[in-house]
Amino acid sequence: DSGVTQTPKHLITATGQRVTLRCSPRSGDLSVYWYQQSLDQGLQFLIQYYNGEERAKGNILERFSAQQFPDLHSELNLSSLELGDSALYFCASSVGGRANGELFFGEGSRLTVL
Amino acid sequence: DQQVKQNSPSLSVQEGRISILNCDYTNSMFDYFLWYKKYPAEGPTFLISISSIKDKNEDGRFTVFLNKSAKHLSLHIVPSQPGDSAVYFCAASARAGNMLTFGGGTRLMVKP
């Protein structure tokens, strides 16, 4: 158990819909990262928050947005969903704001868009 | 543009033998490298790391080698065990960066 909690574990929805994925980082970790893994591919970095502020942005679509709340949990919002958005979405956390160290990953949220 | 590449999508090894997983990178700013292991239905878990000031780091059965001039790193598992069967991701970060860049993963199967 990494200490990172992601909900829901599985989500099935239709094209055009909007979903919200939730992540609670390990106790004491200030950074939250979101990654997307499609079809047994590598993990693609989406976005990082550190202590409530956006710290780094990767290949995140404009239809996607995220935020980190004062209690440090984070939400990833995916809107106008397309079939290609079907993927595993991982949240990870770390103590500091830099990723040159270990990230602790949650078990992921599997999104299926039909 | 894939900055971190794992060119072997899968590898099959006999129990007790050595497993060698390879990773290449293109970004010369990367100075910290990590290997993660992922079992089905679980998130990736950290395995071992190496800083660019070293060329080798060892932790039990796992050793990571870094060849900076070739921009290549490898993970050696000796001896391989069936429980090592998983997907292995290499990842890299730059001192000035805030995120890890992952390779596509290599699925290791260790046969009893």
Side-chain angles (χ1 to χ4, degrees):
Chain A
D1 182 8
S2 67
V4 178
T5 304
Q6 288 188 248
T7 56
K9 286 192 172 14
H10 301 275
L11 191 55
I12 301 175
T13 188
T15 55
Q17 296 297 304
R18 172 190 169 94
V19 298
T20 297
L21 309 180
R22 194 178 192 278
C23 170
S24 294
R26 285 190 327 156
S27 177
D29 284 359
L30 298 178
S31 271
V32 169
Y33 307 77
W34 286 98
Y35 281 84
Q36 178 193 55
Q37 185 187 22
S38 305
L39 291 172
D40 285 333
Q41 293 184 7
L43 290 88
Q44 299 295 318
F45 171 69
L46 296 178
I47 198 163
Q48 178 206 0
Y49 279 82
Y50 175 74
N51 204 19
E53 301 281 332
E54 182 184 303
R55 178 63 70 96
K57 216 168 189 176
N59 298 323
I60 187 166
L61 299 171
E62 285 192 11
R63 299 183 286 108
F64 296 180
S65 65
Q67 58 184 128
Q68 186 179 27
F69 294 87
D71 67 352
L72 300 177
H73 91 271
S74 177
E75 292 181 355
L76 179 66
N77 301 297
L78 316 174
S79 61
S80 302
L81 285 168
E82 302 175 0
L83 296 177
D85 297 328
S86 295
L88 256 177
Y89 291 84
F90 286 105
C91 168
S93 71
S94 67
V95 172
R98 299 209 175 274
N100 54 346
E102 184 179 349
L103 297 187
F104 296 87
F105 283 83
E107 294 182 350
S109 293
R110 181 174 293 280
L111 172 66
T112 302
V113 182
L114 301 176
Chain B
D1 174 32
Q2 273 192 293
Q3 297 186 63
V4 178
K5 287 185 182 179
Q6 294 175 255
N7 290 318
S8 298
S10 64
L11 174 67
S12 183
V13 169
Q14 206 66 34
E15 180 179 6
R17 306 295 291 267
I18 184 171
S19 295
I20 300 177
L21 295 93
N22 294 303
C23 179
D24 297 295
Y25 62 96
T26 57
N27 189 340
S28 57
M29 298 300 291
F30 288 148
D31 61 359
Y32 195 76
F33 305 89
L34 307 89
W35 285 93
Y36 281 78
K37 179 168 71 173
K38 185 183 178 304
Y39 292 117
E42 294 184 11
T45 55
F46 170 76
L47 190 57
I48 192 170
S49 63
I50 187 167
S51 164
S52 60
I53 62 173
K54 294 185 174 182
D55 54 19
K56 176 182 173 182
N57 189 27
E58 195 171 350
D59 183 2
R61 296 185 297 113
F62 302 91
T63 303
V64 56
F65 295 92
L66 176 63
N67 182 334
K68 289 186 290 293
S69 60
K71 292 192 176 66
H72 177 85
L73 65 154
S74 61
L75 174 68
H76 293 210
I77 306 174
V78 183
S80 301
Q81 299 173 355
D84 296 329
S85 297
V87 177
Y88 289 79
F89 291 99
C90 78
S93 73
R95 185 181 303 276
N98 295 317
M99 49 82 167
L100 293 181
T101 301
F102 283 82
T106 296
R107 184 179 302 276
L108 174 65
M109 292 162 284
V110 180
K111 297 179 180 177

